[in-house]
Amino acid sequence: MDPTKTARTVPEMLADADPARPALAGESGPTMTYGELLQLAERTRASLRRAGIGRGEPVAMVLRNGPHMAAAFVAVSTAAAAAPLHPGLRKRELLDALRSLGARALVVGEGCGSDPEAAAQALGIQVLRLLETDPCGGFLLDGNGSVPIPPAGQPRPTDAALLLHTSGTTSRPKLVPLSHDNLTASAASVAKTLRLDPSDRCLNIMPLFHIHGLVGVLLASLRAGACVLATTGFAPMRFFRWLEQLRPTWYSAVPTMHQTVVQRAERNPTELASSRLRLVRSSSAALAPSVLDALEDRFGCPVVESYGMTEASHQMASNPLPPKLRKPGTVGPQAGPEMAVMGDSGELLADGAIGEIVIRGANVMAGYVDNPQANAEAFRKGWFRTGDQGYRDTDGYYTITGRLKELINRGGEKISPREIDETLLEHPDVAQVVAFAAPHAKLGEEVAAAIVPKAGRTLTALMLRQFASRRLANYKVPRIFVFVDAIPKGPTGKLKRIGLASDLGLC
Ligand code: AMP
């Protein structure tokens, strides 16, 4: 990366790279160059204009992970605001997401089932089918089109490029708009932290509907003029083969994936010996120091833990690469936005004092879409409140000690407990329900629900799981049900979601 260049939009970032260098590849080998990716972005912009879609307008996307998803995200974000959705969403979750986005179109890929298209059609949203034209990300958009609009110039740095829902303390997810400015600033921070350069090849195993994969892997690599090996997703059986065949120089993942990699490393000595990894990155949930040590031991390269968040366009803090100090158990010093620890009255706290971690800077979103109440709560004295609790040590390294927000972090996937409450309350035999985070050895946290059945009704975990599965994407479905006569309350009589797992004897 040339630090003197200050690309402020995604297409400017692509144009900074050598057009002949590889930008994207799938699992099968052939690559798409930066020049080809820029041309694809231009063609996509023209297709979207023909479909009546202009700069910053929301375009939902449901695609399988892989090079086409990566290319489509980059191309759509240069022309409109790309809104990649979890392909596992059930139809009513899709309806909610499309409504909340105010989507102008849905880009849908092969093998994503009929629900996305049906949901878009039910809302009168035009569907653009993505037709794959080669194995390294090339595609055409096919749609009936609406009213064409005249061609427009390049996007502006303040235009929304990415829209993502974030699980919050409310049942309805909040919508985070990230501008080109936000995304390119964060991509540059990750590229700088990891010292990425055009010779790097990142094995992407992260989903490309989450900020970690989109910015921590894809845009960070493109910022550095490097190549992304866009796989279909984490597959424990194939991971080691990819290491040998695709020759990546780094990968980024959530701690649960790293744990699986460590467990399987012993069974793949040849692939391990051929590894060219120069670093491994972890983010999105806490990495146990024992897993970090084991990874460093197996791969013989540094493992850096980073701290990220959707509203910050991903990276906020990161442990640095050697020769600087890595401190396992910490998320490192600030590495992107300015960071501080805030006390209850909004004062900034001294090193060592525990409070709420707050951030401000170029990669922090301006505010949630159409949500004045959430914005009033989220910003304080110009700082964005992360809802995470922690402290900074005298070297400037942050440790996360807990969470102030009601969120379940299931191995990096974030779930709003209120959404689970509302869904299970629709069951005719449920009187009360409180979803909460239960500790889990591998995932960190698992979705649990305390249930008070209606008088005289019998409920089982299986019945409730089946009920929830029909309405919620798989990762949100509670795995643990605790049947109680009354939900335990905190000392003030208020429902106490945080700490419920211990009150119910689950830890
Ligand atoms: P997301 O918006 O899905 O990226 O989730 C952001 C949240 O994930 C943060 O507010 C933290 O609660 C959590 N998180 C991210 N990185 C880490 C980390 N390294 N250690 C602990 N929690 C993390």
Side-chain angles (χ1 to χ4, degrees):
M1 181 184 47
D2 178 351
T4 59
K5 289 189 177 164
T6 51
R8 290 182 60 203
T9 65
V10 172
E12 279 171 5
M13 216 170 71
L14 299 179
D16 272 353
D18 177 346
R21 296 281 314 174
L24 277 179
E27 289 165 31
S28 62
T31 53
M32 180 187 288
T33 63
Y34 275 85
E36 288 163 343
L37 185 54
L38 259 176
Q39 283 169 13
L40 182 65
E42 280 302 316
R43 282 200 301 276
T44 304
R45 190 142 50 135
S47 302
L48 291 179
R49 303 295 292 180
R50 277 198 299 279
I53 294 157
R55 280 182 22 231
E57 293 195 313
V59 174
M61 302 169 61
V62 179
L63 297 160
R64 287 173 308 157
N65 233 41
H68 300 91
M69 169 79 197
F73 163 67
V74 171
V76 171
S77 72
T78 66
L85 300 177
H86 194 309
L89 294 186
R90 301 282 179 254
K91 189 165 168 199
R92 73 176 201 170
E93 294 172 300
L94 284 163
L95 287 167
D96 283 348
L98 292 172
R99 264 195 221 105
S100 109
L101 284 168
R104 293 285 326 276
L106 169 75
V107 172
V108 65
E110 293 161 19
C112 293
S114 56
D115 279 354
E117 227 173 298
Q121 275 156 1
L123 297 175
I125 295 170
Q126 63 178 321
V127 174
L128 301 169
R129 283 187 204 93
L130 183 141
L131 309 176
E132 299 178 6
T133 53
D134 65 43
C136 47
F139 66 84
L140 289 170
L141 287 183
D142 177 36
N144 297 328
S146 60
V147 186
I149 54 174
Q154 296 288 326
R156 297 190 192 132
T158 49
D159 286 348
L162 172 62
L163 294 166
L164 284 176
H165 286 104
T166 181
S167 317
T169 39
T170 51
S171 60
R172 295 270 161 264
K174 291 174 277 193
L175 188 56
V176 181
L178 296 171
S179 65
H180 284 265
D181 248 346
N182 294 148
L183 295 177
T184 52
S186 189
S189 303
V190 179
K192 185 173 165 207
T193 302
L194 305 179
R195 290 192 224 121
L196 301 181
D197 71 31
S199 66
D200 275 307
R201 294 162 62 79
C202 183
L203 182 72
N204 181 47
I205 51 176
M206 288 301 299
L208 291 173
F209 52 79
H210 186 262
I211 197 75
H212 182 157
L214 290 170
V215 176
V217 172
L218 179 60
L219 293 186
S221 295
L222 298 182
R223 180 69 188 88
C227 181
V228 177
L229 309 160
T231 72
T232 45
F234 183 54
M237 307 288 274
R238 295 159 77 194
F239 177 83
F240 288 93
R241 205 168 352 117
W242 288 332
L243 283 189
E244 192 180 28
Q245 290 171 352
L246 303 179
R247 294 175 290 107
T249 58
W250 68 288
Y251 78 93
S252 187
V254 294
T256 45
M257 294 176 184
H258 291 309
Q259 273 190 52
T260 307
V261 167
V262 165
Q263 279 161 9
R264 290 183 174 258
E266 237 86 287
R267 275 181 259 166
N268 295 276
T270 322
E271 292 84 350
L272 208 57
S274 71
S275 160
R276 297 178 180 206
L277 294 180
R278 68 171 183 87
L279 74 102
V280 171
R281 178 177 187 268
S282 183
S283 193
S284 302
L287 179 70
S290 59
V291 178
L292 183 148
D293 286 345
L295 276 174
E296 291 202 345
D297 176 62
R298 306 297 187 275
F299 289 118
C301 69
V303 175
V304 290
E305 176 167 6
S306 308
Y307 168 49
M309 181 174 200
T310 306
E311 289 87 333
S313 314
H314 192 49
Q315 185 165 290
M316 299 180 277
S318 182
N319 276 280
L321 284 171
K324 291 194 180 146
L325 181 65
R326 298 189 302 295
K327 287 195 194 181
T330 79
V331 294
Q334 67 180 37
E338 203 183 335
M339 268 173 92
V341 178
M342 192 177 265
D344 290 342
S345 331
E347 76 287 13
L348 296 187
L349 301 180
D351 289 346
I354 293 183
E356 181 168 6
I357 296 176
V358 290
I359 52 166
R360 62 181 179 196
N363 54 332
V364 183
M365 64 148 193
Y368 299 107
V369 176
D370 293 337
N371 204 334
Q373 196 195 330
N375 287 327
E377 287 164 10
F379 291 92
R380 196 173 191 185
K381 298 186 174 173
W383 292 88
F384 175 76
R385 305 170 59 179
T386 61
D388 294 312
Q389 192 183 50
Y391 67 90
R392 181 180 55 208
D393 69 15
T394 47
D395 295 328
Y397 285 55
Y398 285 81
T399 299
I400 297 171
T401 53
R403 215 164 43 216
L404 304 161
K405 55 191 171 192
E406 287 184 347
L407 189 107
I408 304 172
N409 189 344
R410 184 177 188 272
E413 300 213 74
K414 313 302 183 314
I415 295 134
S416 162
R418 295 241 191 136
E419 187 183 355
I420 314 301
D421 290 358
E422 287 196 358
T423 305
L424 290 174
L425 263 181
E426 290 172 21
H427 192 289
D429 296 339
V430 169
Q432 272 185 61
V433 49
V434 179
F436 60 97
H440 186 276
K442 197 157 177 202
L443 294 166
E445 293 176 6
E446 179 55 281
V447 188
I451 306 282
V452 181
K454 282 191 180 156
R457 305 293 170 88
T458 309
L459 281 168
T460 65
L462 182 64
M463 286 157 68
L464 289 175
R465 201 172 303 149
Q466 285 173 342
F467 181 84
S469 296
R470 286 193 290 275
R471 293 162 176 80
L472 297 169
N474 194 34
Y475 72 98
K476 300 181 195 167
V477 175
R479 277 21 180 213
I480 301 166
F481 289 91
V482 184
F483 296 94
V484 288
D485 295 331
I487 307 279
K489 301 265 170 33
T492 57
K494 263 178 70 180
L495 191 137
K496 201 167 64 75
R497 207 186 290 272
I498 294 170
L500 202 52
S502 115
D503 293 349
L504 291 170
L506 295 177
C507 55

